[in-house]
Amino acid sequence: MVIIEVKNLEKTYYGDGVETPALRGVSFLIKEGEFVAIMGPSGSGKSTLLHILGFLDRPTKGEYKFLGKSINEFSDDELAHTRNKKIGFVFQTFNLLSRLTVLDNVKLPLTYAGIKESLQEKIAKEAIDAVGMGHRAYYLASKLSGGEKQRAAIARAIVQSPPVIFADEPTGNLDSKSGQVIMEILQNLNKKGHTILLVTHETYTAEYAERIIKMKDGGIESDNNVYHRRLIGKDHFIK
């Protein structure tokens, strides 16, 4: 099944009488269960593309279908619901609330979704355990290392079992060892059935995916399978 389909996608920003094209005629498909990395230097359009795919922005031209439905057919409420239930986001800056515990951070999407409070802790703890952070559930986010913060952020992203996970430079603020742990978690989530779209500028990180789309100047430069994929040695966290 095709999860994401984009055709001739364009995005232009306007300001002070100046047009700045960020995306130029981008087209590709992502099928259910794929792990795809989008690579490119700063200014290549990869983050703009991810924002559109994650319903955080809309294209200027072109078509974007999510699960077979054009986003032009989504109402604002439907977009918000899809963003909350169907997509998990992982960001370079973690976006955790520093004064809350790991558990309370992971519970937030459940609160927004109207899940009964009596069920929230059980569901959140399962997500936390899945990323190997059970021993940190009651730690304040401000007390965590960078790698632990990203693992907590992934737990928050998967707490509602979304079919798609968008990861925007998830290892960008981490040392190499912590970054490897994060990529192993994402690869394991993919093995469990999540479709993953990773944005990165690092070849090493992108090679954990099974396919790499390279962008340049707002367009697609290449779209190829990874023939020497980095594979995890064993399942460290996902149960």
Side-chain angles (χ1 to χ4, degrees), residues 106-167:
V106 175
K107 284 166 61 176
L108 280 175
L110 302 175
T111 300
Y112 296 147
I115 304 298
K116 289 182 180 180
E117 194 168 342
S118 59
L119 298 175
Q120 288 185 18
E121 185 162 329
K122 177 179 181 295
I123 297 170
K125 281 186 174 179
E126 288 175 354
I128 292 168
D129 287 343
V131 297
M133 285 286 287
H135 62 302
R136 294 285 192 262
Y138 296 100
Y139 276 54
L140 292 177
S142 60
K143 302 298 183 182
L144 302 177
S145 69
E148 289 172 337
K149 287 179 180 178
Q150 195 59 289
R151 284 156 68 180
I154 292 173
R156 182 186 56 194
I158 66 173
V159 72
Q160 295 197 83
S161 298
V164 183
I165 297 171
F166 290 145

Side-chain angles (χ1 to χ4, degrees), residues 15-195:
D16 298 325
V18 177
E19 295 185 5
T20 305
L23 295 178
R24 309 169 187 260
V26 172
S27 301
F28 60 84
L29 300 174
I30 295 178
K31 296 180 180 178
E32 182 179 20
E34 280 196 278
F35 188 162
V36 180
I38 297 178
M39 283 192 68
S42 178
S44 62
K46 59 186 188 299
S47 291
T48 298
L49 176 60
L50 190 70
H51 288 163
I52 291 173
L53 297 180
F55 306 125
L56 301 173
D57 200 357
R58 288 183 180 269
T60 305
K61 293 181 181 178
E63 185 175 40
Y64 170 28
K65 289 184 178 180
F66 184 82
L67 293 172
K69 183 176 180 179
S70 172
I71 63 164
N72 294 327
E73 299 173 12
F74 283 81
S75 67
D76 288 342
D77 285 345
E78 285 177 316
L79 283 176
H81 175 79
T82 302
R83 191 164 53 233
N84 188 38
K85 299 288 288 185
K86 302 291 186 183
I87 296 172
F89 291 95
V90 180
F91 300 98
Q92 179 177 354
T93 52
F94 319 128
N95 290 3
L96 298 174
L97 297 180
S98 60
R99 295 183 180 182
L100 294 184
T101 64
V102 170
L103 180 62
D104 286 338
N105 268 284
V106 175
K107 284 166 61 176
L108 280 175
L110 302 175
T111 300
Y112 296 147
I115 304 298
K116 289 182 180 180
E117 194 168 342
S118 59
L119 298 175
Q120 288 185 18
E121 185 162 329
K122 177 179 181 295
I123 297 170
K125 281 186 174 179
E126 288 175 354
I128 292 168
D129 287 343
V131 297
M133 285 286 287
H135 62 302
R136 294 285 192 262
Y138 296 100
Y139 276 54
L140 292 177
S142 60
K143 302 298 183 182
L144 302 177
S145 69
E148 289 172 337
K149 287 179 180 178
Q150 195 59 289
R151 284 156 68 180
I154 292 173
R156 182 186 56 194
I158 66 173
V159 72
Q160 295 197 83
S161 298
V164 183
I165 297 171
F166 290 145
D168 190 0
E169 299 279 8
T171 63
N173 285 334
L174 305 179
D175 59 67
S176 58
K177 185 176 180 180
S178 297
Q180 182 178 349
V181 171
I182 294 306
M183 293 314 301
E184 289 180 351
I185 290 173
L186 290 176
Q187 202 172 74
N188 251 328
L189 288 169
N190 179 240
K191 288 172 64 178
K192 300 292 285 187
H194 293 273
T195 302

